[in-house]
């Protein structure tokens, strides 16, 4: 059976790059700008680039907040990328007073050391995961997720201290790095995500 993949467009995200990787893997996808059709897809990707508050504004103004929460609670396979992972939590230091989707308890914190944002390759160290493997991935981030429940964390990287590189919960995977910019590692990551 062919995969039925949606890429959510909330006005922030590297949508064409994600779509290009999927196409390389022989998978068609549809970029959706309204939530009405989201329940018809069995795989959904939420890319997010830039500011936490702006991404949440895009999610809310386009009517995606409730549908995203609903598909996360169902059997739909979900992938959040970069800020698309951060918005799954309650709040961010980047946008005080702006609530996230609150799918998980925890907050998004700013790096306190090193050059900010972190830009470039960094080693991803997996915990137990069928989707995440050890390897170098590409980051562009000033903020990182701190889940209240540490069992959500499926991989970490180190930037003047350990931080969350990926989380997994049931049908949901979310990553701080950019798989579509991570070369062969990113291609294999998408291949595993599609098949698991």
């Amino acid at each position: 059976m062919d995969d039925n993949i949606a890429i959510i467009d909330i006005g922030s995200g590297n949508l064409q790059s994600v779509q290009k990787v999927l196409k390389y893997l022989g998978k068609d996808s549809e970029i959706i700008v309204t939530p009405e059709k989201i329940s018809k897809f069995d795989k959904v990707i939420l890319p997010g680039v830039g500011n936490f508050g702006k991404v949440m504004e895009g999610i809310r103004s386009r009517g995606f907040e409730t549908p995203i929460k609903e598909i996360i609670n169902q059997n739909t396979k979900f992938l959040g990328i970069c800020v698309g992972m951060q918005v799954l939590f309650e709040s961010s230091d980047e946008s005080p007073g702006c609530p996230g989707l609150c799918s998980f308890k925890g907050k998004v914190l700013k790096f306190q050391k090193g050059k900010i944002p972190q830009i470039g390759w960094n080693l991803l160290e997996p915990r137990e995961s069928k989707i995440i493997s050890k390897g170098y991935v590409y980051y562009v981030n000033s903020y990182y997720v701190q889940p209240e429940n540490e069992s959500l964390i499926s991989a970490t990287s180190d930037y003047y201290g350990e931080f969350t590189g990926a989380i997994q919960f049931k049908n949901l995977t979310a990553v701080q790095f950019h798989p579509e910019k991570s070369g062969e590692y990113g291609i294999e990551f998408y291949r595993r995500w599609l098949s698991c």
Side-chain angles (χ1 to χ4, degrees):
M1 183 178 170
D2 290 336
D3 291 307
N4 190 15
I5 307 167
I7 303 172
I8 298 176
D9 180 2
I10 41 86
S12 169
N14 204 1
L15 310 178
Q16 283 72 32
S17 294
V18 174
Q19 198 168 43
K20 185 177 178 182
V21 175
L22 295 173
K23 190 72 174 174
Y24 176 82
L25 292 169
K27 304 295 184 182
D28 290 326
S29 58
E30 183 179 340
I31 294 173
I32 60 171
V33 296
T34 56
E36 286 76 19
K37 294 196 295 182
I38 196 169
S39 62
K40 298 178 182 177
F41 293 89
D42 51 30
K43 293 179 174 66
V44 175
I45 300 174
L46 175 63
V49 174
N51 179 279
F52 180 96
K54 291 290 185 186
V55 171
M56 282 306 307
E57 181 184 333
I59 288 171
R60 292 190 170 110
S61 66
R62 298 192 182 194
F64 278 108
E65 182 171 15
T66 298
I68 288 173
K69 290 178 180 179
E70 287 174 349
I71 62 169
I72 286 172
N73 290 327
Q74 296 164 357
N75 292 322
T76 305
K77 188 176 285 190
F78 183 90
L79 174 62
I81 300 172
C82 194
V83 187
M85 173 171 89
Q86 295 178 6
V87 295
L88 298 171
F89 290 83
E90 295 171 299
S91 64
S92 174
D93 287 349
E94 185 174 23
S95 303
C98 175
L101 293 170
C102 302
S103 294
F104 303 105
K105 290 186 176 181
K107 52 190 176 181
V108 182
L109 305 176
K110 187 173 184 177
F111 287 124
Q112 296 300 310
K113 295 181 180 178
K115 186 176 179 181
I116 299 172
Q118 171 194 202
I119 301 176
W121 298 88
N122 199 339
L123 181 63
L124 188 68
E125 294 274 8
R127 297 184 178 177
E128 247 182 79
S129 172
K130 293 180 180 178
I131 297 173
I132 304 292
S133 64
K134 185 173 182 175
Y136 282 89
V137 297
Y138 196 84
Y139 285 100
V140 182
N141 66 311
S142 302
Y143 298 83
Y144 63 95
V145 164
Q146 182 176 286
E148 190 172 297
N149 180 0
E150 289 202 4
S151 69
L152 288 172
I153 300 172
S154 59
T156 60
S157 290
D158 192 286
Y159 193 68
Y160 298 89
E162 187 179 76
F163 70 94
T164 303
I167 64 166
Q168 284 181 261
F169 181 75
K170 296 181 180 178
N171 53 301
L172 179 144
T173 301
V175 297
Q176 181 61 61
F177 61 92
H178 287 274
E180 71 281 358
K181 295 182 180 180
S182 296
E184 281 299 319
Y185 181 97
I187 291 169
E188 290 307 311
F189 167 83
Y190 275 112
R191 198 191 306 276
R192 287 191 298 271
W193 179 73
L194 289 164
S195 62
C196 282

